[in-house]
Structures are given as structure tokens and as C-alpha cells.
């Protein structure tokens, strides 16, 4: 009995210590417990507001729009009224970064921030609480007059570094994409003192008209002169009406020759040569097709490759050349050589042509230098490349014509030949000059051109506007299959090519305002334009839920009927886009499909999809379908 009593007494301190330890442990666990989701989100956005304000505002717009779609005030978002406060804080950070960029002469950053500010001001004008928290000079930072001055500064910087053609390309690309800037007169009053060497637009364009005349760029001289005097621009022949422009054009063309050593063919070693055409756009600078010089810049090519050009007046010579910039998506490459021809073929600042127009190509088909062929424009707006659009022509094209300049009947450059269909007669394609203009400034960078995108896959739809097939954004997939795309930055979304041309002038990482329509209600977001892997869906395959990829490649909105984290299984089809894969295989709304297999063949860049379908169009007879769908899409904006 005494022994038991002593045991109990000795146990008391142990129990007390255990209780205290448990209390401390509980307190420690409480202290390291994860914060509420709303608090974590607010902390994340607050950190971005100080370090990456545009990303912060993009996230906030998602919160605000979710509130609006529910019919609730913006202040009732998941992080409460702090969201509006952080919106103002992000805008203040942007204004500070903009002024710092101007002081340091960082025109690239200043252009991006100014464009984003213009977008944010447009968005904030829709909501009184947001408009009230913007800093005083924030809207002025994004004024079109400010953005025009920054374009002037960028053009001057390019002119000093790369010459006349590079500076002109900056102006032509920016002003062609946003023609409203041409009507601006005067310098911005709010922050004109902070912009180094701000100029009255008319004086600036007059100085460039003089530069164009000094370079014998007659068309550009008329274009800049028209902008300086605010008169109507009329395209003129670069050689004049009475001169033989074909002779001048031929003297500005070279044969592009790529020696790739030897290859084994039929058991024999045979020379491996690639022939193409190039044309001089400035002394010593030539444009050609990327596929002609691909072995010079493709890191996966391990063989021998040596690039040279053959002048038109001395086709036996081989003058060494190098690639200084290339655009794989639009099949463009910029070459540099010590060889300087007498004739320069300038890229027009603005040029339009239409079906039925007579056109001429100058090139080296199968190595026959200085060959001139003629035909007509068969059709425009052929979407056969992943970025931009092609013109279909019936001009005879053969191997060696790739890169040939395409001229109008009066000698104006209107495009570049890049492809033909050898199994069909006179079905060939050229890249229209407006797309060359949009890509040319980036070709002077010395690297591959990557076209930023918003990460939205589009289909043509059956109405006046393209429709969303899939939203590839990693953070917020606000748009869903079937939404009708209405506007981007206030510009009507007519078709995929026109949207891509508009976005080509948007600075990388800048914010855009995207507006769609769902059930007659607006769906809008602020979205950054970023390098998201170009036209490839493979990066998205590796980062987002694969059902969104499935919707994008099929062209249908799917609703999973079974709880599963995998992409396979049973789906109900709630919407089908006309002329897309689902529609072409006979899938219709309210059908049921069972995904048996979907995998990515990375080597061949295709998705392999196997599924069974019960369609009302086939009397609900079950069919098993296997599709191979490209992992690169020409419909990603």
C-alpha cells in the first residue's frame, strides 16, 4: 500500500511535465499552422505589388471579375477591401519604375510599363473604386502621346545601332499595328519633361522623310512626308513610273547557297546542298527564308554547314555570309555579308494587295539565277503558318525560289515566296509584306524571334468573331471553350491573323485587356502577353490540367462524368466548334465519349488520341476513333 502511494506521488511530476510539454507542443503547432488561404493570397499579391506590379494587377483583375460575375461589390473579394488598396499600390510601383526607366534610358521597360498603364487605365475606368486609387500621373504615363514618344526613342536607338532600315522598321511595325498614333500632334504635357528629347511628331517625321530620301527610299519618303504634313499617303514605285523596275529588282537579288557536305543516298555519297533566294534590304543585309538556312541556326543539327551568297552579276562567286536573326514561325531569316549590291529593295512601310492582282517573283529556281516569273494573287488570308497568314499565288515556284521577293505590277515589294506544293500545279504561297514588317525589328536582335502570346487557343466559330477552344494560362483559366472573343485592348477581334498582327506590336510582358462573351455576359481579364512556348501546346501539357489540352485539340467543351484526376474516362460533350476535329469526326452536342488513351509523341510533335463515341448522328452506334493531332497550333494567340 505504501509502495503504491509512493509510486503515485512520484508519478505526479512526470504527469505535470507531460502536460506542460503537450501544452507547449500545441502552442508551437498553432504558431506554425498554415495561414488562411485568403491571408496567403493577400500576402502573395502584396509581395508582387512591390516587385512585379503587373503580375499583381493581373491577379487582382481575376478576383474583381469573379466578384462582378457573381453580382457582388469588388470589395467583397476573397481578400476583402485590401484588394482595392493593393491595386493602387501596384499602380504606384509601376509609376516609380517608369520614371526610373526613363532616367536610366531603359526604353524597353518604359514602353512595356506605358502600354500596361494604358490597359490598366482602360480597365479601371469601368469601376469607380479602382479609378479612385490610381496615382495622379498614372493615366498620363499610358497616354498614346507618351507611347508615341517612346516609339520615337526606340527608333532612334535602333537607327544609331543598326542603321536606317532597322530604325524605319521599328516605326513601320508600331504605326502599322496602331494607326491611331498617326493622328497625334504635340508632346504629352504631364510628363514631357521626364522624356528625353521629346519631339513634335511632325518634326520627327520630317527628319525621317529626309533620311529616306538620302537612302533613295522613295516610298518611305512619301510615307513619312504624308505623316509630317497630315496628308493622304499614296504608294509610289520605288524606281519611278518610267524606269524599268524589273532590271533594278534583279540586281538586288542573290542566290543563297548552303553547303552541308555530303549525304548517303542509295548507297552512294552525294553532295548535300540547299539553294534559296535572298534580296538586299540594306547594303550587306539580306532577307531569305529560315528553312533555307536552318542548318546554320538549328542547335539539333550536328553536321557540316557553310553559308554563302552568289551575287546576280557574278553567280560564280561564293561570298561568305552569316545569319544575324531568324523567325522560325514566319520562316524569315536576316543575313549579313560583305557583299554589297548596287540595288536595294526596301520593304514598304504600308502595302495592301488583293486577289487578282498581278505579281512577279525574282529568284533562282533550281539554281537558275535572275529568273523572273509572273502570275496573280489567287487568294489572301491562308492560315498555313503558326504565326501570321499567307497569300496564295499561282506564280511558278520551284526549289531555289524560297526567299524570292514578290513585286506588284509597278515594282513595289508586296511579299516573299516561302512555299509551294510540288504535287499540285501553281499552288504556292508568299508571306505578305505587313508580316515581314512586324517581324523585321526583332530580326536585328541576333537571336531567334519568339512571338509572345496570351495563351488562348481559338477556333473560327460560326459567327463574326473567333471562339475560345482552351485557356492555357497557368494561374487563371478564366475563359472556357465556347466563349466568343469580342475585343483585345478595345480593338474588335475579327479573326486569328488580325489578332496576331495586333499583338505583334505589344511589348513582351505587357498587360492586355481581353474581353469575351458567355451567355450574353462579358468575361474580361487583364492578361500578360508572354513567351509561352510559341505555337506549341507541349509546355502547357507539362504544366496544366490535361483536360484543357484535350478541349483545345478536339475543339469541344467537355464535362467529366466520373470523378477522376486523370484525363481519361467518360465525358459529356456540351459544345462543339464547327470545322474542328470533334466536328469533323461527327461528334455533336450531348454526345458521350470515353477517352481510352491520350499521349504525347514528343519526337513527332503529335497527340495520339483514342476514344469511343456514341453519337446521335450515327444512331448512337458506338464507334472507336483514333486521331493524331498536331502539338503545334496555328490558332494560339
Amino acid at each position: 500500500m505504501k509502495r503504491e502511494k509512493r509510486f503515485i506521488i512520484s508519478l505526479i511530476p512526470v504527469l505535470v511535465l507531460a502536460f506542460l510539454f503537450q501544452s507547449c507542443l500545441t502552442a508551437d503547432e498553432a504558431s506554425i499552422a498554415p495561414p488562411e488561404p485568403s491571408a496567403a493570397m493577400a500576402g502573395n499579391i502584396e509581395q508582387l505589388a512591390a516587385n512585379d506590379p503587373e503580375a499583381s494587377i493581373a491577379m487582382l483583375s481575376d478576383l474583381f471579375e469573379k466578384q462582378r460575375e457573381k453580382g457582388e461589390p469588388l470589395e467583397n473579394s476573397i481578400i476583402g477591401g485590401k484588394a482595392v488598396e493593393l491595386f493602387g499600390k501596384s499602380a504606384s510601383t509601376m509609376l516609380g519604375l517608369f520614371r526610373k526607366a526613363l532616367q536610366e534610358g531603359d526604353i524597353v521597360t518604359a514602353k512595356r510599363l506605358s502600354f500596361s498603364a494604358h490597359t490598366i487605365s482602360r480597365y479601371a475606368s469601368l469601376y469607380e473604386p479602382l479609378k479612385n486609387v490610381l496615382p495622379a500621373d498614372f493615366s498620363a504615363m499610358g497616354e498614346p502621346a507618351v507611347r508615341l514618344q517612346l516609339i520615337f526613342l526606340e527608333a532612334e536607338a535602333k537607327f544609331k545601332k543598326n542603321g536606317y532600315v532597322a530604325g524605319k522598321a521599328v516605326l513601320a511595325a508600331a504605326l502599322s499595328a496602331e494607326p491611331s498614333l498617326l493622328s497625334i500632334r504635340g508632346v504629352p504635357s504631364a510628363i514631357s519633361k521626364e522624356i528625353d528629347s521629346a519631339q513634335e511628331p511632325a518634326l520627327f517625321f520630317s527628319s525621317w522623310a529626309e533620311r529616306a530620301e538620302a537612302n533613295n527610299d522613295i516610298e518611305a519618303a512619301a510615307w513619312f512626308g504624308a505623316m509630317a504634313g497630315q496628308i493622304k499617303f499614296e504608294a509610289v514605285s520605288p524606281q519611278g513610273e518610267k524606269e524599268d523596275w524589273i532590271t533594278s529588282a534583279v540586281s538586288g537579288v542573290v542566290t543563297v547557297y548552303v553547303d552541308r557536305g555530303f549525304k548517303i543516298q542509295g548507297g552512294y555519297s552525294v553532295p548535300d546542298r540547299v539553294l534559296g533566294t535572298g534580296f538586299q534590304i540594306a547594303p550587306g543585309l539580306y532577307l531569305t527564308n529560315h528553312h533555307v538556312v536552318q542548318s546554320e541556326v538549328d542547335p539539333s543539327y550536328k553536321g557540316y554547314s557553310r553559308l554563302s551568297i552568289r551575287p546576280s552579276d557574278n553567280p560564280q562567286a561564293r561570298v561568305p555570309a552569316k545569319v544575324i536573326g531568324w523567325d522560325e514561325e514566319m520562316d524569315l531569316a536576316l543575313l549579313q555579308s560583305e557583299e554589297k549590291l548596287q540595288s536595294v529593295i526596301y520593304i514598304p512601310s504600308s502595302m495592301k494587295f488583293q486577289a487578282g492582282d498581278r505579281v512577279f517573283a525574282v529568284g533562282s529556281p533550281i539554281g537558275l539565277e535572275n529568273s523572273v516569273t509572273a502570275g496573280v494573287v489567287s487568294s489572301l488570308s491562308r492560315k498555313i503558318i503558326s504565326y501570321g497568314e499567307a497569300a496564295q499565288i499561282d506564280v511558278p515556284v520551284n526549289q531555289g525560289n524560297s526567299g524570292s521577293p514578290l513585286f506588284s505590277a509597278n515594282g513595289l515589294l508586296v511579299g516573299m515566296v516561302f512555299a509551294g506544293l510540288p504535287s499540285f500545279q501553281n499552288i504556292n504561297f508568299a508571306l505578305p509584306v505587313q508580316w515581314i514588317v512586324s517581324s523585321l525589328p526583332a530580326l536585328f536582335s541576333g537571336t531567334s524571334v519568339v512571338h509572345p502570346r496570351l495563351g488562348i487557343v481559338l477556333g473560327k466559330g460560326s459567327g463574326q468573331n473567333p471562339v475560345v477552344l482552351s485557356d492555357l494560362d497557368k494561374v487563371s483559366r478564366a475563359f472556357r471553350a465556347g466563349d466568343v472573343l469580342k475585343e483585345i485592348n478595345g480593338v474588335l477581334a475579327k479573326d486569328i491573323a488580325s489578332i496576331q498582327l495586333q499583338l505583334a506590336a505589344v511589348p513582351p510582358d505587357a498587360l492586355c485587356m481581353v474581353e469575351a462573351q458567355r451567355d450574353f455576359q462579358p468575361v474580361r481579364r487583364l492578361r500578360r502577353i508572354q513567351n509561352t512556348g510559341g505555337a506549341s501546346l507541349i509546355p502547357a501539357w507539362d504544366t496544366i490540367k490535361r483536360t484543357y489540352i484535350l478541349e483545345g485539340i478536339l475543339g469541344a467543351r467537355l464535362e467529366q462524368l466520373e470523378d477522376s484526376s486523370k484525363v481519361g474516362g467518360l465525358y459529356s460533350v456540351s459544345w462543339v466548334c464547327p470545322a474542328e476535329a470533334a466536328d469533323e469526326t461527327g461528334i455533336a452536342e450531348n454526345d458521350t465519349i470515353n477517352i481510352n488513351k491520350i499521349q504525347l509523341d514528343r519526337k513527332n510533335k503529335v497527340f495520339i488520341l483514342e476514344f469511343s463515341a456514341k453519337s446521335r448522328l450515327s444512331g448512337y452506334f458506338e464507334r472507336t476513333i483514333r486521331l493524331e493531332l498536331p502539338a503545334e497550333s496555328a490558332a494560339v494567340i
Side-chain angles (χ1 to χ4, degrees):
M1 184 70 180
K2 289 181 179 181
R3 183 179 295 177
E4 292 177 357
K5 185 175 182 182
R6 284 197 301 269
F7 173 75
I8 293 172
I9 292 173
S10 65
L11 190 61
I12 290 174
V14 177
L15 295 173
V16 171
L17 289 173
F19 175 76
L20 291 174
F21 176 76
Q22 182 64 34
S23 299
C24 293
L25 184 63
T26 304
D28 288 342
E29 287 178 346
S31 65
I32 63 172
E36 291 293 325
S38 58
M41 180 180 290
N44 184 30
I45 295 176
E46 188 162 17
Q47 187 175 11
L48 288 173
N51 301 309
D52 191 355
E54 287 153 294
S56 167
I57 287 179
M59 291 182 68
L60 289 168
S61 77
D62 189 55
L63 296 180
F64 295 144
E65 290 306 311
K66 287 177 179 176
Q67 292 302 111
R68 181 193 60 79
E69 290 164 8
K70 292 189 293 186
E72 298 180 1
L74 305 186
E75 295 86 348
N76 290 0
S77 71
I78 189 173
I79 62 172
K82 192 172 182 62
V84 176
E85 176 189 332
L86 289 174
F87 187 88
K89 182 178 179 180
S90 300
S92 297
T93 304
M94 284 182 61
L95 186 57
L97 292 173
F98 177 74
R99 286 176 166 147
K100 180 182 178 183
L102 289 179
Q103 292 171 1
E104 296 176 351
D106 185 355
I107 305 305
V108 173
T109 300
K111 271 188 66 180
R112 188 198 80 230
L113 291 167
S114 178
F115 191 96
S116 292
H118 179 69
T119 302
I120 293 166
S121 297
R122 175 190 293 273
Y123 177 73
S125 67
L126 302 173
Y127 306 104
E128 199 69 25
L130 302 184
K131 188 166 58 174
N132 292 337
V133 296
L134 290 181
D137 291 338
F138 186 82
S139 296
M141 176 175 75
E143 285 180 357
V146 172
R147 290 189 289 118
L148 182 61
Q149 292 295 324
L150 294 174
I151 292 169
F152 290 169
L153 291 176
E154 184 183 19
E156 287 298 309
K158 277 283 189 183
F159 171 74
K160 292 176 182 177
K161 182 179 179 181
N162 301 111
Y164 164 73
V165 168
K168 171 195 164 187
V170 170
L171 293 169
L175 300 175
S176 298
E178 197 171 0
S180 60
L181 295 177
L182 294 173
S183 62
I184 293 173
R185 288 295 177 265
V187 296
S189 57
I191 56 175
S192 59
K193 295 180 180 179
E194 301 180 45
I195 300 178
D196 184 34
S197 305
Q199 296 188 55
E200 213 289 331
L203 297 176
F204 180 84
F205 291 130
S206 292
S207 68
W208 272 88
E210 294 174 2
R211 286 174 178 170
E213 289 179 1
N215 285 273
N216 200 32
D217 189 354
I218 307 303
E219 187 272 345
W223 187 60
F224 286 122
M227 289 188 287
Q230 286 189 302
I231 59 176
K232 185 178 179 180
F233 167 68
E234 294 184 5
V236 296
S237 171
Q239 289 82 20
E241 292 298 329
K242 297 181 180 181
E243 294 186 24
D244 182 3
W245 65 263
I246 293 182
T247 301
S248 179
V250 167
S251 63
V253 174
V254 298
T255 300
V256 180
Y257 185 87
V258 182
D259 181 356
R260 302 199 303 189
F262 293 86
K263 62 182 178 179
I264 303 300
Q265 185 174 314
Y268 295 93
S269 179
V270 297
D272 186 7
R273 309 289 186 263
V274 179
L275 290 176
T277 302
F279 57 96
Q280 184 175 243
I281 61 170
L285 291 176
Y286 301 85
L287 270 183
T288 188
N289 284 144
H290 166 266
H291 74 262
V292 174
V293 297
Q294 185 174 3
S295 60
E296 291 284 303
V297 296
D298 185 358
S300 65
Y301 180 77
K302 304 301 181 183
Y304 174 81
S305 180
R306 185 174 181 179
L307 170 65
S308 59
I309 61 173
R310 294 177 176 180
S312 59
D313 58 353
N314 186 14
Q316 303 306 317
R318 296 182 188 175
V319 184
K322 65 178 181 179
V323 183
I324 63 173
W326 62 98
D327 185 338
E328 185 175 356
E329 288 198 74
M330 285 206 281
D331 203 5
L332 289 171
L334 182 62
L335 313 182
Q336 187 176 43
S337 173
E338 292 297 322
E339 179 69 23
K340 296 178 174 62
L341 307 180
Q342 291 184 351
S343 179
V344 174
I345 300 172
Y346 286 111
I347 299 174
S349 309
S350 176
M351 182 65 200
K352 293 182 179 180
F353 62 118
Q354 57 188 3
D357 285 356
R358 189 159 180 78
V359 286
F360 299 81
V362 180
S364 304
I366 61 174
L368 299 174
E369 298 88 356
N370 309 330
S371 296
V372 180
T373 53
V376 297
V377 178
S378 304
S379 181
L380 297 174
S381 305
R382 297 299 192 197
K383 199 76 177 73
I384 64 169
I385 51 179
S386 62
Y387 202 88
E389 60 186 347
Q392 182 185 331
I393 57 176
D394 75 348
V395 177
V397 169
N398 294 281
Q399 184 180 3
N401 269 121
S402 295
S404 295
L406 192 71
F407 296 96
S408 65
N410 66 339
L412 278 171
L413 183 73
V414 295
M416 176 199 282
V417 176
F418 73 88
L421 298 179
S423 300
F424 300 88
Q425 188 174 9
N426 294 340
I427 300 180
N428 305 308
F429 301 95
L431 186 69
V433 74
Q434 63 264 32
W435 292 100
I436 301 176
V437 168
S438 72
S439 181
L440 187 56
L443 289 176
F444 286 91
S445 65
T447 59
S448 174
V449 176
V450 180
H451 296 282
R453 285 171 161 86
L454 294 170
I456 301 173
V457 184
L458 297 180
K460 290 184 179 180
S462 56
Q464 298 297 316
N465 299 80
V467 295
V468 174
L469 298 185
S470 183
D471 188 347
L472 307 179
D473 188 66
K474 299 176 186 177
V475 179
S476 169
R477 283 169 291 280
F479 304 99
R480 73 184 189 192
D483 290 348
V484 179
L485 190 64
K486 304 298 290 185
E487 293 182 351
I488 296 178
N489 294 331
V491 178
L492 185 65
K494 296 180 180 179
D495 53 64
I496 296 169
S498 64
I499 294 170
Q500 288 179 333
L501 187 61
Q502 175 195 353
L503 294 178
V506 177
D509 290 331
L511 285 172
C512 296
M513 186 166 134
V514 184
E515 184 165 333
Q517 190 176 78
R518 181 187 305 156
D519 299 330
F520 302 102
Q521 296 299 318
V523 180
R524 67 175 72 96
R525 291 296 188 277
L526 295 182
R527 177 73 58 87
R528 285 184 108 164
I529 183 163
Q530 296 177 318
N531 298 338
T532 57
S536 176
L537 300 177
I538 295 176
W541 172 266
D542 294 331
T543 55
I544 69 173
K545 188 177 179 181
R546 292 178 177 177
T547 302
Y548 299 111
I549 304 294
L550 180 62
E551 290 183 328
I553 61 178
L554 269 181
R557 185 164 68 244
L558 306 175
E559 296 178 6
Q560 202 159 16
L561 299 179
E562 300 174 342
D563 292 334
S564 174
S565 59
K566 297 181 179 180
V567 70
L570 203 59
Y571 290 86
S572 171
V573 180
S574 57
W575 171 81
V576 174
C577 182
E580 296 295 330
D583 183 47
E584 295 292 335
T585 54
I587 305 299
E589 291 183 18
N590 301 318
D591 286 354
T592 300
I593 64 174
N594 189 17
I595 306 297
N596 303 316
K597 173 184 175 182
I598 178 170
Q599 66 181 39
L600 170 62
D601 181 349
R602 293 180 185 271
K603 181 180 179 180
N604 296 310
K605 297 181 180 180
V606 295
F607 292 107
I608 300 172
L609 176 63
E610 294 180 2
F611 64 95
S612 56
K614 290 183 178 181
S615 173
R616 58 183 175 84
L617 298 179
S618 60
Y620 293 101
F621 177 76
E622 186 171 1
R623 299 171 295 146
T624 299
I625 301 170
R626 186 181 190 274
L627 299 175
E628 289 190 7
L629 301 167
E632 292 189 354
S633 171
V636 182
I637 63 165

